[in-house]
Amino acid sequence: MTEDTRPTGPADAAEPLPAAVPLPAAEPRRLPVTDLSLVVLVGTSGAGKSSFARKHFLPTQVVSSDFCRGLVADDENDQSASAEAFDLLHYIVGKRLAAGRLTVVDATNVQPEARKQLIKLARDHDVLPIAIVLDVPPGVCAERNRTRPDRQLPAHVIPRQNRELRRSLRGLEREGFRKVHVLRGESEVEAAEIVTEKRYNDLRHLTGPFDIVGDIHGCRSELETLLARLGYTLVRDPEGRPVDAEHPEGRTAVFVGDLVDRGPDTPGVLRLVMGMVGAGHAICVPGNHENKLGRAMDGRKVTVSHGLQESLDQLAAEPEEFRDEVRAFMRDLVSHYLLDGGRLVVCHAGLPERYHGRTSGRVRSHALYGDTTGETDEYGLPVRYPWAEEYRGRALVVYGHTPVPVASFLNNTICLDTGCVFGGSLTALRYPERELVGVAAEREWYAPVRPAVTDAPGAREGRPLDLADVAGRRVVETGLHGRITVREENAAAALEVMSRFALDPRLLSYLPPTMAPSATSRRPGYLEHPEEAFHSYRDDGVQYVICEEKHMGSRAVVLLARDEAALEKRFGIAGPGAIWTRTGRAFLSDDGLTGAVLKRVRAAAESAGLFEELETGWLLLDAELMPWSLKAVELLRRQYAAVGAAAGAALPAVLAALDRAAGRGLDLRELTARQRRRAADAEAFVTAYRRYCWPTEGLAGIRLAPFQVLAAEGVNLAVRPHDEHLGWIDRLVAADDRDAPLLRGTGRLLVDTSDEESIAGGIAWWEELTEAGGEGMVVKPLAALARGRAGEGRPGGLIQPGVKVRGREYLRIIYGPDYTEYLDQLRQRFLGHKRSLALREYALGLEALDRLAAGEPLWRVHEPVFAVLALESEPVDPRL
């Protein structure tokens, strides 16, 4: 597209321009502009479009042809670069519209061909095209151009552009512009005021709670019963007919359309729903049956089928005033709504994410009818494209239209049409609770053309995960730590683990984060000491911390099912549960042994009353499984035992040789002393790792030490205070078999970081643990979820959920038998990356639990879980 400034014949010859005539000041003119639209400024050169755009819109919202010409040619007046400039302009406009951004095009746009391409862009991205015409006298435009040193147009250009503008004015709406604002003269342009309007479908400010009702099809009696079951109080008119319903807790009903046709009382349903909508107690979107009935009532030609005749006959018996109200009601229905901050979308036939909040005939058609393949089935009905199977959107889409025997979640969508009019049921979804409430049909009111399908959409999660859900570079949004980036190479490493070694991903709802060590200690002989942990939390504004005994085992996540049905209902896979490692692998290779452990833990949870108290059929526990040798036997054999054996074989011989040399009069006291220290260190090393090894046979010898209840049905418990968790764990341990215990409690101590005496008590407790051969302790904010104190260079963001403080002898296993000889070098260890990794993984873990609690689909839960696994492949010192 070009803005042609070259003469093309006598008609374009230069002619005198009329002088500008001053106009009186105009009244302020309010120009409504939809918040997501393509605004096309139309006017001759010099009409003031750029000044108008700068005055009324953000700089980032305006895409100027002159600016694009400058980008491609380094000269905004180089008309030879116009074709490339408009290619760039269209590209930028397309990208902004795809991202849902209001976009303003600053160009002359007086030629129909120029506007045609912009209207097509708006339609391609399902946004409204709006024209704002600056109809300024040619003389004014010419004078403005004469005073611009950077632009000198040939004299014929402005008259020709003005003629093109005059020819265009009457046809802008026919071209496809949904709104046309014409500002005539300088005074109207100067007095104009842009008023941003929300789209009709944008109800994101309404957060509910909602009760979303499926297809009713004239079944008024069932609707009354369902509303009563949902807790609504019906309001009746003097004739006893329901005309409104209100919930005492302020809940809002949402109807997904198809109120009419086929059933026994279409007018009764309309009277009730219209009354609720009018009173502000309900929201309604249209179904395809409302669309057809409305057209029939307006006298337009339609095919009378699929129950339409029943509705027309029933409405014919109603007063004309009521029929007028019905026509107006159906005419005003909006195709779909965005609710609850965009987290909920309600429509009749379903809607892919790219259409959410968009406005076009294509969007309305999909919302009303769905997307068909163009084929028909054996009953003559259209075959619909299974859009929900491909859905990966963040918003929950609730719809109806296609009857299913049972409402179930599929990839964060749910169909609520359970065929009430066909003898099925009328179903509602309570949101945000995600609870289904239904009432059976009183009878089969209408025989279906096609028998009801016998298989509802699969489990809650729909089809298996897609490679596109996890492959490549990804950015995961978290509620606690913002956007977390997963690099492509890390994702590839995680995919290798996930595809070859991990559990069934339907069960893998959480991976524990890595844990950062406390700051390096400067105390003589210590690499880690509790004092640094206490002071660090104190500096972050955390007064109370809880110190938990660090068990001598391996991290394990336990998914515990009260019964197989409970697990299948939420996770789509039956079984007693699972136990997995930090990398998502089955902890025990013996399924029978895993089942035996789960059976014992389930019995303890039942006896302790945890299932009842938390109102759940499953529990997710964070724990340590002991002994360490149960999982790391090969590591012990090949690395630690080998070091101990080599030292045990070599050092006695070295000391014997030194003793013999000393007997011959050589002065080897310093060397001998050093070798004796090495021998003692080696013996301490062997003693240290052997504490983590003991024989097991079946359940005998195995110990499980849970320390946190992560989640239950519908709730993320990981954000609860740690003393609450440990209280649950104490009850669980107390309910275990005391004669053959499997469960082990976690020792703990509360420390007040503002009290030096309390800190001293925490240090003494750590010393007692480590001197008795314990690994050390973990120090955590008592409140679990804590943010640092802002100010003095601190951003006040998320702080470490826990730091480990390991004992001197345990660190001998990690850093080597004689690590104490090299403390000065080890104190140079860099903790920044490890701390960053711990925070990111913690935020991702909580995000996964939030999504699990909210009932989101597998791919959404799995996204942050997979990201944790990917971050584990980042290079970091494994000894930290």
Side-chain angles (χ1 to χ4, degrees), residues 5-61:
T5 60
R6 295 171 297 173
T8 57
D12 294 309
E15 57 183 68
L17 296 172
V21 179
L23 296 177
E27 292 294 325
R29 175 93 176 274
R30 293 167 65 88
L31 310 182
V33 170
T34 308
D35 59 356
L36 175 53
S37 58
L38 176 61
V39 179
V40 178
L41 301 182
V42 182
T44 59
S45 298
K49 298 181 299 300
S50 298
S51 298
F52 184 89
R54 283 194 298 270
K55 178 179 178 181
H56 296 288
F57 299 99
L58 297 175
T60 53
Q61 294 174 327

Side-chain angles (χ1 to χ4, degrees), residues 69-232:
R69 196 179 288 111
L71 286 178
V72 299
D74 292 329
D75 182 357
E76 293 187 356
N77 298 313
D78 185 354
Q79 297 299 315
S80 66
S82 290
E84 292 80 5
F86 276 95
D87 283 344
L88 176 60
L89 182 145
H90 293 151
Y91 179 81
I92 296 173
V93 168
K95 287 297 183 183
R96 285 189 57 83
L97 296 181
R101 309 290 184 191
L102 172 69
T103 304
V104 181
V105 175
D106 175 15
T108 58
N109 295 314
V110 294
Q111 299 169 338
E113 294 79 10
R115 298 189 297 270
K116 182 178 180 181
Q117 294 191 52
L118 294 173
I119 291 171
K120 182 179 184 300
L121 270 174
R123 286 175 173 167
D124 288 346
H125 293 91
D126 303 292
V127 303
L128 297 178
I130 298 174
I132 299 180
V133 181
L134 278 63
D135 187 8
V136 177
V140 174
C141 299
E143 180 60 28
R144 288 174 176 173
N145 279 296
R146 274 195 290 268
T147 60
R148 291 183 58 177
D150 61 332
R151 175 178 297 177
Q152 295 298 320
L153 296 178
H156 70 274
V157 172
I158 292 177
R160 190 183 65 189
Q161 290 179 351
N162 187 60
R163 289 194 296 272
E164 292 172 329
L165 177 63
R166 305 256 74 79
R167 288 192 293 266
S168 298
L169 282 177
R170 293 184 179 179
L172 291 175
E173 289 186 355
R174 289 195 301 272
E175 290 179 10
F177 287 103
R178 294 291 294 273
K179 296 179 183 178
V180 177
H181 304 301
V182 181
L183 302 173
R184 301 188 186 279
E186 295 174 84
S187 57
E188 281 198 12
V189 172
E190 182 62 29
E193 178 186 351
I194 298 295
V195 180
T196 303
E197 294 182 330
K198 292 177 63 174
R199 289 154 280 165
Y200 292 135
N201 55 35
D202 185 358
L203 298 182
R204 288 176 292 180
H205 61 285
L206 299 181
T207 58
F210 302 111
D211 297 305
I212 310 168
V213 181
D215 299 36
I216 303 168
H217 281 299
C219 298
R220 188 260 314 152
S221 179
E222 287 88 342
L223 176 58
E224 288 188 41
T225 304
L226 178 62
L227 289 173
R229 185 167 296 178
L230 290 167
Y232 289 77

Side-chain angles (χ1 to χ4, degrees), residues 314-329:
Q314 293 167 17
L315 287 167
E318 297 290 330
E320 182 62 30
E321 180 183 1
F322 179 75
R323 292 199 296 271
D324 289 342
E325 292 175 0
V326 169
R327 276 191 285 266
F329 174 74

